[in-house]
Each structure stands twice: as structure tokens, then as C-alpha cells.
């Protein structure tokens, strides 16, 4: 019953992997201990600049919606609130 075994195994929840945050995704900051006043603020994921690339491993660079400040934030401190739809090439 069903497709090949490999296809059925990939449907289990423990096999799901979160996708990396993409520029344009909207997020909410949460559980920040270094500056708790930022918790709950909305931000947008942006492209990392050359100086930010080393700090962004495992996280994302975001721009706060309130004042545009750029922060490097770890994945566990971001809650996705809106995902950017992938663009179809050639259309």
C-alpha cells in the first residue's frame, strides 16, 4: 500500500527539517536574554552583509520593523509569522 518505503518514511514528523529563514520572511523576536526589551518585536529577515556573515551562522540577520536596526539573531529566538513565497523562475 502506498509508494516506495523511502517516500513513506520521509513523511514522519521526526524527518521534517525546518527551512532556513529567507530574506523577506517576517518574524517575531522571542526569548532574548541579552535585551529582553526586544522580545515580542516584529522584524523582517534581510540579506546578511559581508561583516555579518560570520555571526549569522545558524541564525538570521533581521531588520526591526520599528526603527530598521539590524540584528543577528539565532534561530531559536525567532518565530516565523509570515513566509515569503518562492519565486518561479522564467515566469
Amino acid at each position: 500500500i502506498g509508494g516506495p518505503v523511502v517516500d513513506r518514511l520521509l513523511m514522519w514528523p521526526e524527518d521534517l527539517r525546518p527551512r532556513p529563514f529567507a530574506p523577506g520572511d517576517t518574524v517575531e523576536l522571542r526569548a532574548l536574554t541579552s535585551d529582553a526589551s526586544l522580545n515580542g518585536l516584529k522584524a523582517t529577515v534581510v540579506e546578511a552583509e559581508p561583516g555579518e556573515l560570520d555571526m549569522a551562522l545558524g541564525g538570521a540577520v533581521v531588520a526591526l520593523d520599528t526603527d530598521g536596526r539590524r540584528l543577528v539573531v539565532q534561530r531559536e529566538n525567532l518565530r516565523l509569522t509570515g513566509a515569503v513565497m518562492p519565486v518561479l523562475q522564467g515566469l
Side-chain angles (χ1 to χ4, degrees):
I1 299 176
V5 173
V6 172
D7 293 337
R8 287 183 292 173
L9 289 175
L10 294 177
M11 292 188 288
W12 292 99
E14 58 268 15
D15 291 324
L16 297 177
R17 291 176 185 80
R19 73 165 177 78
F21 288 104
D25 286 348
T26 56
V27 295
E28 180 181 318
L29 303 178
R30 63 186 181 122
L32 291 170
T33 55
S34 61
D35 190 352
S37 67
L38 296 174
N39 290 329
L41 292 181
K42 307 289 186 210
T44 303
V45 178
V46 295
E47 290 280 347
E49 293 180 353
E52 299 167 326
L53 289 175
D54 294 336
M55 297 184 293
L57 293 176
V61 179
V62 300
L64 296 178
D65 291 348
T66 54
D67 60 8
R69 272 188 296 166
R70 294 171 65 94
L71 305 169
V72 178
V73 184
Q74 294 301 314
R75 170 176 276 287
E76 60 268 11
N77 298 111
L78 297 172
R79 185 176 71 85
L80 184 66
T81 57
V84 170
M85 298 303 292
V87 177
L88 297 175
Q89 298 294 325
L91 293 180

